[in-house]
């Protein structure tokens, strides 16, 4: 350094140069984002792969990422207690906790619970009635997932409903939004003389696995799982994303690779059901040991998390992953997650499963336990007042085994009723304004919430369902079960495509000015289980007031033209083209 710098200046410059040189060799932080960790990592990585591929996440995926719904509870609760109505993104987050803001249909919340296998204790049932009376609309709905909903909950009461339910051992966590919904199982599990297996322990194991595994929340879309033990009352497992179907593996059975299989009851695995999109769960050829069902279901969900579409809500269900990948590649990834091969067997080597009793959910039926019975109670379109709930709980406690068993047919069973107490239970049910015996039409009448409580519904499905029954019952004497399903919108909560007669709500234009009234598109010929089939469209844009007459015509045509007295309505409908059915119905009306 020149003489123009003093010794002190030279020392400062030398130190500066030395420090600058050191900085040049210190590793700089990476500009790349840190690898996601923790329970949300599996979902964040899936989102990152989507955006890295140049695709755009839907809003719901962004909402999950920006403010995790479970971690937002304190804020959501504070806003609710202040009387605030949720913004769309917070309405979505509330659904992780089981609350749905249903405006404009109702300026209130609906709460959906988790009732594994559809079974709860009578005292819990009465306690739910108390919550509904104090904080809701004074009634509940039994759903097509063997579940309960409380409606007309003011925003300020939403948190109290969730916390009061938790106090009685009922949770609603993950019962809405992009989560695994209530697990269904055979309604007569453990008491059915014809069942192959009691589904209760397997449904319960899956229920608790979900509750205690954070990765099982925040899926690409909702996810349904069902266990069917081959009892009298159908579980409709073939309408689920995963359907576990109890089957018997005979002695000496070999799998497809030629290896011997243990004889006994296994679950056969069906995947991809979503009847609102006109598809049933398809048989995979895989059979699962009973105690491995939860582990296999977990692996399936994890592959779905990784592979599901997060850019298009209409294509985000498991069915569409299977359509793109194919079953064998999908199952190969499931096996990779499991770290073991799945057993496969040809369907032809397995004995047929026991037939369902289409009226097994209504009336008196003998249990496997000598001298005991279950009594199926018919509910008008699945609705119960709190007083009726209290009365049914009391009957179960005084004359039954203390269980209330909800079914996917929007009704309930009182189980463990001794022969000597049957008359008292029958009288008690009727005294509550309900019934234990109904016509074949009313026993199979299914309706979603409709536009009285759901913003998506185009029609008042529950009222119209009752109107159909009131009109048709005195006019057509049916001697075979008939299922009539009314759903309000494309979400098909009432599964209209599997009904003998299925109706989906529509707005019907009635004049040139564009005025509209409630109405339906009418389908016929659906079924489930061994009789599975998608109903075909017969009539479009039928005004609601004209629907009972259209249904009457179809029922009359069936009674007049069926091949033999035992022919089902579905078989009759499938023998005729739509235009033929319409002609027969119009002639019979």
């Amino acid at each position: 350094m020149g003489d123009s710098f003093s010794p002190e200046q030279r020392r400062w410059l030398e130190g500066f140069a030395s420090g600058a040189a050191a900085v040049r060799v210190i590793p700089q932080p990476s500009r790349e984002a840190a690898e996601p960790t923790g329970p949300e990592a599996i979902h964040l990585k899936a989102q990152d792969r989507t955006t890295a591929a140049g695709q755009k996440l839907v809003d719901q995926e962004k909402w999950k990422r920006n403010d995790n719904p479970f971690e937002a509870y304190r804020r959501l609760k504070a806003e609710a207690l202040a009387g605030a109505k949720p913004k769309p993104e917070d309405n979505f987050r509330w659904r992780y906790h089981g609350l749905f803001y249903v405006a404009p249909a109702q300026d209130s919340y609906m709460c959906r619970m988790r009732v594994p296998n559809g079974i709860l204790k009578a005292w819990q049932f009465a306690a739910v009635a108390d919550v509904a009376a104090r904080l809701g609309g004074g009634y509940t709905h039994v759903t097509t997932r063997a579940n309960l909903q409380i409606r007309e909950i003011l925003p300020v009461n939403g948190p109290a409903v969730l916390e009061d339910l938790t106090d009685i051992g009922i949770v609603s966590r993950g019962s809405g939004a992009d989560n695994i919904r209530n697990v269904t199982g055979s309604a007569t599990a453990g008491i059915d003389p014809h069942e192959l297996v009691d589904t209760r322990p397997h449904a319960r194991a899956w229920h608790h696995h979900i509750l205690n595994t954070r990765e099982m929340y925040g899926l690409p879309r909702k996810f349904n799982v069902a266990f069917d033990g081959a009892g009298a009352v159908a579980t409709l497992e073939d309408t689920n994303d995963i359907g576990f179907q109890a089957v018997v593996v005979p002695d000496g059975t070999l799998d497809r690779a030629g290896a011997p299989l243990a004889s006994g009851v296994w679950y056969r695995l069906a995947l991809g059901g979503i009847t609102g999109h006109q598809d049933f769960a398809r048989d995979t050829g895989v059979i699962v040991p009973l105690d491995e069902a939860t582990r296999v279901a977990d692996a399936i969900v994890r592959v779905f998390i990784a592979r599901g579409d997060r850019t298009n809500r209409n294509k985000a269900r498991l069915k569409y992953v299977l359509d793109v990948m194919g079953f064998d590649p999908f199952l190969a990834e499931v096996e990779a997650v499991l770290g073991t091969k799945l057993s496969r067997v040809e369907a032809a080597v397995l004995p047929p499963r026991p037939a369902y009793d289409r009226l097994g959910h209504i009336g008196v039926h003998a249990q496997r336990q000598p001298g005991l019975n279950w009594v199926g109670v018919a509910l008008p379109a699945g609705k119960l007042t709190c007083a009726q709930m209290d009365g049914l709980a009391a009957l179960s406690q005084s004359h039954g085994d203390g269980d209330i068993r909800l079914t996917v047919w929007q009704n309930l069973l009182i189980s463990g009723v001794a022969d000597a107490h049957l008359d008292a239970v029958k009288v008690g049910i009727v005294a509550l304004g309900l019934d234990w015996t109904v016509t074949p039409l009313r026993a199979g009448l299914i309706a979603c919430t409709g536009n009285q409580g759901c913003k998506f519904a185009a029609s008042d499905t529950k009222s119209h369902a009752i109107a159909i029954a009131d009109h048709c019952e005195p006019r057509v004497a049916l001697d075979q079960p008939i299922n009539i399903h009314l759903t309000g919108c494309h979400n098909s909560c009432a599964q209209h495509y599997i009904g003998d007669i299925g109706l989906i709500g529509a707005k019907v234009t009635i004049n040139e000015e564009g005025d509209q009234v409630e109405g339906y598109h009418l389908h016929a010929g659906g079924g489930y289980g061994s009789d599975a089939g998608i109903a075909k469209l017969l009539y479009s844009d039928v005004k609601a007031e004209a629907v009972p007459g259209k249904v009457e015509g179809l029922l009359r045509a069936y009674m007049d033209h069926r091949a033999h007295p035992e022919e089902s309505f579905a078989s009759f409908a499938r023998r005729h083209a739509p235009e033929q059915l319409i002609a027969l119905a119009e002639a019979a009306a």
Side-chain angles (χ1 to χ4, degrees), residues 94-384:
W94 262 129
R95 295 181 183 201
Y96 273 62
H97 302 276
L99 283 180
F100 299 66
Y101 187 58
V102 297
Q106 293 171 340
D107 186 19
S108 59
Y109 284 103
M110 174 270 285
C111 179
R112 179 184 295 153
M113 297 160 225
R114 301 188 78 96
V115 183
N117 211 114
I119 302 174
L120 68 167
K121 294 300 181 183
W123 66 265
Q124 290 177 305
F125 193 64
V128 172
D130 175 68
V131 174
R134 288 187 294 106
L135 302 173
Y139 63 93
T140 64
H141 286 157
V142 178
T143 78
T144 55
R145 290 207 65 76
N147 204 353
L148 287 171
Q149 294 179 353
I150 298 174
R151 308 195 74 88
E152 298 186 39
I153 303 166
L154 296 177
V156 71
N157 290 333
V161 168
L162 298 182
E163 293 167 9
D164 283 10
L165 290 174
T166 303
D167 287 344
I168 61 172
I170 294 178
V171 296
S172 55
R173 183 182 178 93
S175 61
D178 297 345
N179 299 303
I180 305 169
R181 304 301 178 83
N182 189 50
V183 53
T184 56
S186 295
T188 54
I191 62 173
D192 196 308
H194 303 297
E195 71 182 2
L196 298 179
V197 68
D198 180 349
T199 61
R200 289 176 297 178
H202 311 127
R204 185 174 184 271
W206 178 238
H207 169 75
H208 284 285
H209 179 78
I210 296 166
L211 293 181
N212 292 290
T213 310
R214 182 69 172 264
E215 293 94 331
M216 294 290 105
Y217 297 89
L219 281 54
R221 205 70 163 86
K222 74 175 185 178
F223 202 93
N224 293 325
V225 180
F227 294 84
D228 188 279
V233 181
T235 310
L236 300 179
E237 77 286 349
D238 52 359
T239 67
N240 287 251
D241 296 280
I242 300 177
F244 288 109
Q245 304 166 324
V247 294
V248 173
V249 174
D251 287 334
T253 301
L254 303 179
D255 68 14
R256 288 181 183 174
L261 293 168
S263 62
V265 179
W266 294 57
Y267 279 126
R268 194 164 183 83
L269 178 66
L271 293 178
I274 174 171
T275 55
H277 293 214
Q278 304 188 43
D279 214 349
F280 287 93
R282 287 163 276 175
D283 178 31
T284 61
V286 169
I287 57 172
V288 178
L290 301 179
D291 60 359
E292 286 287 295
T294 288
R295 195 166 77 93
V296 171
D298 175 274
I300 292 167
V301 171
R302 289 177 187 275
V303 176
F304 173 59
I305 290 169
R307 292 287 191 167
D309 191 336
R310 296 175 187 262
T311 69
N312 182 350
R313 301 283 285 178
N314 294 325
K315 301 288 185 181
R317 293 290 296 275
L318 178 63
K319 161 190 160 57
Y320 294 102
V321 175
L322 294 167
D323 286 349
V324 171
M325 291 185 66
F327 275 67
D328 287 342
F330 180 87
L331 289 170
E333 293 199 8
V334 172
E335 290 172 330
V337 173
L338 289 169
T340 187
K341 290 289 186 181
L342 294 163
S343 298
R344 291 169 171 80
V345 66
E346 298 297 334
V349 308
L350 302 177
R353 303 175 77 232
Y356 300 122
D357 179 354
R358 291 186 62 178
L359 295 176
H361 61 296
I362 298 294
V364 177
H365 301 269
Q367 295 183 190
R368 66 190 304 172
Q369 296 83 6
L372 297 181
N373 309 269
W374 76 77
V375 182
V377 183
L379 310 178
K383 186 174 182 179
L384 277 168

Side-chain angles (χ1 to χ4, degrees), residues 141-142 380-383 410 447-450 460-467:
H141 286 157
V142 178
K383 186 174 182 179
Q410 292 187 320
C448 72
T449 298
D460 184 2
T461 52
K462 288 193 181 294
S463 294
H464 296 151
I466 301 301

Side-chain angles (χ1 to χ4, degrees), residues 510-532:
I510 58 173
N511 55 37
E512 293 181 356
E513 286 72 34
D515 294 329
Q516 294 182 317
V517 297
E518 295 178 18
Y520 294 88
H521 305 315
L522 189 153
H523 304 71
Y528 58 90
S530 59
D531 203 27

